[in-house]
Amino acid sequence: MGIAEQITTQAGRTGLAGLLADPKSAVVGLDFDGTLAPIVPDPDRARAHPGVVPALTALAPLVGAVVVVTGRPAATAAAYGGFAAAPGLEHLTVLGHYGAERWDASSNAVTAAPPPPGVAAVREELPVLLRELGVPEGTFVEDKERALAVHTRRAPEPDALLERLRGPLGELAHRNGLVVEPGRMVVELRPPGVDKGVALRGFLAERDAGPVLFVGDDLGDLAAYAEVAARREGGHPGLLVCSGPVTGEPPVAELAERADLVVAGPAGVVDLLNGLTELLRG
């Protein structure tokens, strides 16, 4: 079944048609974890699906731009994705830390503003708080330099633990001028005023972009979804794709309800990118 046949909404079909009609002004936006890279217990072991670089290498020259928008540090996502020095990806951009960092393949360099002081304060206080709360073994903190994420994926009853942590983590974040971003078995504490919608909006504005395709898998991608939806209301075609888990779990409901198309994890995203390339090549 082709891409068009899998799309479940008229807005999505209009978005695909717009992209095919004007690919050189189109932007393909992609989340990293859960979208290009399978979710794994240890975030440091995440790597892009082996089909991602070949698929992007084929697609990138046919569209206006490809941008990866992630909560990870930009250089980390570029390294874990295998994007540096990949033929055909010379103009790929990674917006890391929800746009606070930028990595460009053309220079293999990262540009970023200084991290806010609240992150350093939370870095010191968070281990103490988790000890006081008596979190079980398997709970771990991922230090993203500009944000900190508490993962419960490897702990017993991860969803119940996450619910127990929401209040105390929210108080810690608020006390230090940060906000909390919930996700699948993770809560992230990060600076306010930055999200994937803001990051995507800035990137699209600098390119005077036309049609936009965005693929995400978790709650942090809702802001990018909202940006594409707002553009559609303004007459710019857009296509929203949800990368669902491949473990038998349902996709994140909030994304799946807003998506024009749901695919089966990173492998499904690779199929989507390859299918789009075939359509553009005619």
Side-chain angles (χ1 to χ4, degrees):
M1 186 183 298
I3 297 173
E5 290 76 21
Q6 298 176 59
I7 294 173
T8 59
T9 68
Q10 183 56 51
R13 287 186 283 271
T14 300
L16 176 62
L19 193 155
L20 296 178
D22 187 15
K24 287 304 181 181
S25 75
V27 171
V28 174
L30 304 150
D31 168 50
F32 188 75
D33 292 282
T35 297
L36 297 181
I39 297 292
V40 293
D42 182 354
D44 289 337
R45 295 184 178 275
R47 297 295 184 271
H49 183 284
V52 163
V53 168
L56 290 179
T57 294
L59 176 62
L62 304 177
V63 297
V66 175
V67 60
V68 176
V69 189
T70 175
R72 282 187 180 269
T76 300
Y80 291 2
F83 304 139
L89 298 185
E90 294 85 355
H91 302 293
L92 182 139
T93 299
V94 177
L95 302 178
H97 287 304
Y98 304 94
E101 289 186 352
R102 177 173 179 145
W103 175 89
D104 288 290
S106 57
S107 62
N108 193 26
V110 173
T111 55
V119 174
V122 167
R123 184 177 288 115
E124 292 185 4
E125 295 181 43
L126 184 55
V128 176
L129 175 63
L130 294 178
R131 284 197 300 271
E132 291 175 347
L133 292 172
V135 298
E137 185 176 351
T139 310
F140 69 99
V141 175
E142 179 188 6
D143 192 332
K144 298 184 175 183
E145 300 174 17
R146 294 173 177 270
L148 293 109
V150 179
H151 293 262
T152 63
R153 184 176 303 276
R154 302 197 303 236
E157 300 183 356
D159 292 324
L161 174 60
L162 192 68
E163 192 60 36
R164 179 162 73 89
L165 292 176
R166 287 187 196 278
L169 292 178
E171 293 173 7
L172 174 63
H174 179 73
R175 191 165 65 248
N176 290 283
L178 304 183
V179 296
V180 294
E181 179 70 44
R184 283 187 288 171
M185 291 176 275
V186 62
V187 172
E188 183 167 298
L189 295 80
R190 58 178 173 82
V194 292
D195 60 41
K196 292 184 180 181
V198 173
L200 183 62
R201 184 185 312 139
F203 185 82
L204 298 177
E206 73 180 49
R207 300 194 63 87
D208 192 22
V212 179
L213 180 154
F214 187 82
V215 190
D217 80 305
D218 208 345
L219 296 175
D221 298 305
L222 284 173
Y225 268 40
E227 176 61 24
V228 175
R231 287 175 57 84
R232 295 204 292 203
E233 291 179 2
H236 296 283
L239 177 60
L240 293 170
V241 180
C242 173
S243 173
V246 293
T247 57
E249 305 172 38
V252 174
E254 292 87 342
L255 262 72
E257 290 168 0
R258 293 166 174 78
D260 307 303
L261 170 63
V262 178
V263 299
V269 174
V270 169
D271 289 342
L272 170 70
L273 298 174
N274 287 332
L276 186 57
T277 296
E278 292 178 8
L279 289 174
L280 289 171
R281 286 177 173 170

